[in-house]
Every structure is written in structure tokens, then in C-alpha cells.
């Protein structure tokens, strides 16, 4: 729970990634009243928790999405510790306790490479300069663009279907021309993407919940 000085009413949000309820209330509202109000939303809370995607752990034998397909995670203790993609499997060796860390780092490296290449291509099409591309793990934003031209993406985009990832890239590159969400921005976004923005947004909502539970 948090008190917010500008909040005029209570707001309840569910974070499926952490299985956590977040209650925002006006600064002067009593705690007992806020908790009673939250308790009245038991049915809503239960529905949210039931809709929570299953956690996907980075362990041998698990299957994870990657660039529009499903890949099996394989551990071979005697194999090289370098993570490699072999057909529809991700293989790495070394101690099993370090398996998740190696796969996670590999996914982030792949995300940085792929997103950098796609960003460069769309930036060239838009006639703009990109100062840099990086990846992180923001919970509420799939991408961001600074006024200096630095783009930052969620590494989890590498697990999205390609068209969804490319939509996010088009969105952020379009911000290099228009730092708002006006008509001109949306027109450029659609031109750079070259597909159905509406469909991509729908897929993003579906995949986003699942991918926040990976790792």
C-alpha cells in the first residue's frame, strides 16, 4: 500500500509477476477504510490470480518462447559452457546450478543484437540517428526513447513473435521524429511497421503477461 499526495480516490492493481496487490490511496484516508474497500474486491482479486500465467523457469527440460518459436532447454554437463542454439534447442554445459544464469545472459545478448539490428534498419528508413540501443527489464514499459536518441527495450521482447517485437521497435523509432502520440506519430509508426498495428497490440497484451513470468 502507498499513500499518494495527488490521489483523489483509491486504486487497486494486481501485479501478476510478483503475485502482489498494490493499493494506492489518498494521503489522508484512514488505513482501516482502505483495507475494507480492498476487501470488497475479493472476487476481482481471485479472478486476477486465476488468470496469472504459469511461471516458466529457466531449467533443463523447460520450453521457452524465442523469436516466434518454442525452444527446449538442454543441459549437457560435459559440453562447453558456451550457450548455443541447435535447431529447436538451447544447449549449454558446466555445473547445472549455473544453467539459469547462462541461459538468461544468452537471451539478453540475443535481444541486444536483434533489437539493435532492427532498430538500425527502421532508423535508416525514417532518416533518423540512434545514439544507442540497450536492454533492461522494465516491468511497465516494453521500450523507451530519450530525447538524446537512446532507445532502451525489455530483453523479453526477444521471446515475442517477430511482428510484435518489430512493432515496439517501430513505435520507439517513430519517437525520434515525434516525441508525442499525435496523428503524425501514429502515421509514421504504421509506415515503419508495415503491418497491422491493432493486431500487434493485441498480441502484445496476450504475450506480455506470459513473458513477464519467464525466469
Amino acid at each position: 500500500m502507498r499513500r499518494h499526495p495527488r490521489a483523489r480516490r483509491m486504486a487497486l492493481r494486481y501485479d501478476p509477476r510478483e503475485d502482489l496487490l498494490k493499493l494506492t490511496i489518498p494521503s489522508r484516508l484512514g488505513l482501516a477504510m482502505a483495507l475494507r474497500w480492498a476487501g470488497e474486491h475479493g472476487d476481482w482479486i481471485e479472478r486476477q490470480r486465476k488468470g496469472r500465467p504459469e511461471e516458466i523457469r529457466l531449467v533443463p527440460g523447460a520450453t521457452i518462447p524465442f523469436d516466434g518459436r518454442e525452444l527446449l532447454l538442454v543441459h549437457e554437463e560435459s559440453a562447453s559452457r558456451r550457450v548455443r542454439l541447435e535447431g529447436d534447442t538451447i544447449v549449454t554445459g558446466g555445473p547445472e546450478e549455473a544453467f539459469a544464469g547462462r541461459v538468461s545472459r544468452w537471451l539478453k545478448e540475443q535481444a541486444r543484437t536483434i533489437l539493435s539490428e532492427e532498430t538500425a534498419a527502421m532508423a535508416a528508413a525514417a532518416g533518423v540517428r540512434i545514439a544507442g540501443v540497450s536492454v533492461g527489464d522494465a516491468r511497465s514499459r516494453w521500450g523507451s526513447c530519450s530525447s538524446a536518441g537512446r532507445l532502451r527495450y525489455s530483453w523479453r521482447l526477444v521471446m515475442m513473435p517477430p511482428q510484435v517485437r518489430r512493432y515496439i521497435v517501430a513505435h520507439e523509432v517513430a519517437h525520434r521524429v515525434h516525441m508525442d502520440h499525435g496523428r503524425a506519430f501514429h502515421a509514421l509508426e504504421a509506415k515503419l511497421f508495415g503491418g497491422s498495428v491493432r493486431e500487434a497490440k493485441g498480441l502484445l497484451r496476450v504475450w506480455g503477461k506470459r513473458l513477464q513470468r519467464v525466469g
Side-chain angles (χ1 to χ4, degrees), residues 2-110:
R2 70 165 184 164
R3 297 182 183 275
H4 197 290
R6 292 194 298 274
R8 294 187 176 183
R9 54 189 174 186
M10 294 177 282
L12 189 61
R13 185 169 69 86
Y14 177 67
D15 182 350
R17 181 171 172 177
E18 300 293 338
D19 192 26
L20 186 70
L21 286 169
K22 298 184 177 181
L23 176 62
T24 301
I25 65 173
S27 57
R28 295 186 179 182
L29 188 72
L31 174 60
M33 180 181 293
L35 292 178
R36 282 197 303 272
W37 178 82
E40 293 171 357
H41 293 77
D43 290 343
W44 177 86
I45 294 169
E46 190 62 26
R47 288 197 300 273
Q48 298 302 308
R49 296 197 72 205
K50 285 183 177 179
R52 185 187 189 204
E54 183 180 353
E55 180 181 10
I56 303 175
R57 300 178 61 201
L58 300 178
V59 296
T63 300
I64 65 170
F66 178 81
D67 196 29
R69 53 188 173 138
E70 298 289 322
L71 300 181
L72 176 67
L73 302 183
V74 175
H75 175 251
E76 296 178 357
E77 189 170 356
S78 60
S80 168
R81 299 187 182 190
R82 181 178 63 85
V83 179
R84 59 193 188 278
L85 179 60
E86 297 181 353
D88 289 330
T89 63
I90 295 175
V91 184
T92 185
E96 188 171 338
E97 57 268 25
F99 181 87
R102 283 195 292 275
V103 172
S104 177
R105 287 190 293 273
W106 182 83
L107 287 170
K108 292 171 184 177
E109 290 168 3
Q110 294 297 307

Side-chain angles (χ1 to χ4, degrees), residues 35-204:
L35 292 178
R36 282 197 303 272
W37 178 82
E40 293 171 357
H41 293 77
D43 290 343
W44 177 86
I45 294 169
E46 190 62 26
R47 288 197 300 273
Q48 298 302 308
R49 296 197 72 205
K50 285 183 177 179
R52 185 187 189 204
E54 183 180 353
E55 180 181 10
I56 303 175
R57 300 178 61 201
L58 300 178
V59 296
T63 300
I64 65 170
F66 178 81
D67 196 29
R69 53 188 173 138
E70 298 289 322
L71 300 181
L72 176 67
L73 302 183
V74 175
H75 175 251
E76 296 178 357
E77 189 170 356
S78 60
S80 168
R81 299 187 182 190
R82 181 178 63 85
V83 179
R84 59 193 188 278
L85 179 60
E86 297 181 353
D88 289 330
T89 63
I90 295 175
V91 184
T92 185
E96 188 171 338
E97 57 268 25
F99 181 87
R102 283 195 292 275
V103 172
S104 177
R105 287 190 293 273
W106 182 83
L107 287 170
K108 292 171 184 177
E109 290 168 3
Q110 294 297 307
R112 186 179 298 107
T113 298
I114 293 172
L115 287 163
S116 293
E117 292 174 350
E118 293 179 344
T119 298
M122 287 201 188
V128 297
R129 183 184 67 86
I130 301 298
V133 174
S134 61
V135 297
D137 196 17
R139 299 187 184 188
S140 59
R141 304 177 72 179
W142 292 104
S144 63
C145 174
S146 73
S147 58
R150 294 184 177 86
L151 274 61
R152 186 171 179 81
Y153 300 101
S154 167
W155 69 267
R156 297 172 188 272
L157 286 171
V158 78
M159 297 183 286
M160 291 272 188
Q163 67 268 35
V164 182
R165 185 181 64 243
R166 291 185 66 258
Y167 158 67
I168 296 296
V169 173
H171 184 97
E172 299 308 333
V173 170
H175 274 313
R176 289 294 293 122
V177 181
H178 306 286
M179 291 298 285
D180 56 32
H181 290 99
R183 290 184 178 180
F185 165 81
H186 287 299
L188 178 58
E189 174 191 61
K191 180 180 179 180
L192 292 173
F193 177 49
S196 170
V197 170
R198 182 176 181 179
E199 181 180 340
K201 286 182 176 180
L203 287 171
L204 180 63

